[in-house]
Amino acid sequence: EKAVATLDEFDPNEATIDDLLDAKKAVEVAKHKKVPEEAMQKLQNRLARIEMTFGPRFEVEAKLQDIFRIAEKRCPDAFLDEAELNETEKVEELKELLEQALRWECDSDVVGTAQGLLERSLAAEELRREAGLCIRRALARPLRADADL
């Protein structure tokens, strides 16, 4: 009964990956409690449909949450809405995940957070690039007098 209730109450607009994992556990428990074969088949079919429909979305959201944690760890004094990614490969991964998040219609809060993180990370990367260029130009100038420093 709990498995049926868990799957029947599954609301994709409010659901998280934890809800999907709970539904999987409920089906496993139902197997061990000797639920009739017909009811068990219905549960498994419903779970399979949920996994096929929402599994990719939850996977993308979980990967984005991992990226958010990395950004927060690198910026311990700031909140996520102030953090940025410094590694080009992480920024590229975030771009790809954001595209997938839009394709799978992930939670709008998660998408918004990812977009903000990407914008800050790209802006910081551009600033670092410009600063490096300015330093290289300054070092390339001939030093003839103190004013050239």
Side-chain angles (χ1 to χ4, degrees):
E1 289 178 28
K2 183 179 180 194
V4 173
T6 301
L7 289 172
D8 285 342
E9 294 170 5
F10 191 88
D11 179 2
N13 297 318
E14 300 292 325
T16 65
I17 195 161
D18 291 331
D19 295 326
L20 181 60
L21 294 174
D22 288 345
K24 285 181 180 183
K25 286 178 193 171
V27 169
E28 287 301 315
V29 168
K31 282 182 188 176
H32 293 295
K33 297 225 179 199
K34 307 286 187 209
V35 172
E37 187 64 32
E38 185 178 316
M40 195 67 220
Q41 189 62 44
K42 284 181 181 179
L43 286 176
Q44 289 173 325
N45 289 342
R46 174 115 166 94
L47 178 59
R49 282 192 307 275
I50 289 170
E51 285 179 313
M52 285 176 41
T53 305
F54 302 105
R57 174 185 136 194
F58 294 146
E59 187 176 318
V60 170
E61 287 178 357
K63 288 179 181 178
L64 283 170
Q65 293 294 341
D66 290 342
I67 295 242
F68 297 163
R69 279 189 281 284
I70 289 169
E72 284 179 319
K73 284 180 185 176
R74 301 225 170 97
C75 192
D77 295 334
F79 295 102
L80 182 57
D81 60 348
E82 299 170 354
E84 62 190 47
L85 296 170
N86 296 326
E87 298 86 8
T88 303
E89 62 273 0
K90 286 295 178 193
V91 173
E92 290 303 316
E93 182 181 354
L94 178 58
K95 280 182 192 178
E96 291 173 21
L97 287 170
L98 189 53
E99 288 173 10
Q100 292 176 23
L102 293 170
R103 184 176 332 120
W104 291 107
E105 299 177 2
C106 290
D107 180 83
S108 60
D109 291 337
V110 173
V111 170
T113 300
Q115 288 171 329
L117 179 59
L118 180 60
E119 288 170 9
R120 286 188 305 281
S121 299
L122 290 173
E125 189 175 303
E126 181 64 26
L127 281 174
R128 285 189 295 275
R129 196 175 303 118
E130 288 175 14
L133 183 60
C134 286
I135 290 170
R136 283 191 294 282
R137 284 182 189 152
L139 292 174
R141 278 189 250 146
L143 298 175
R144 295 185 201 114
D146 287 342
D148 291 335
L149 292 175

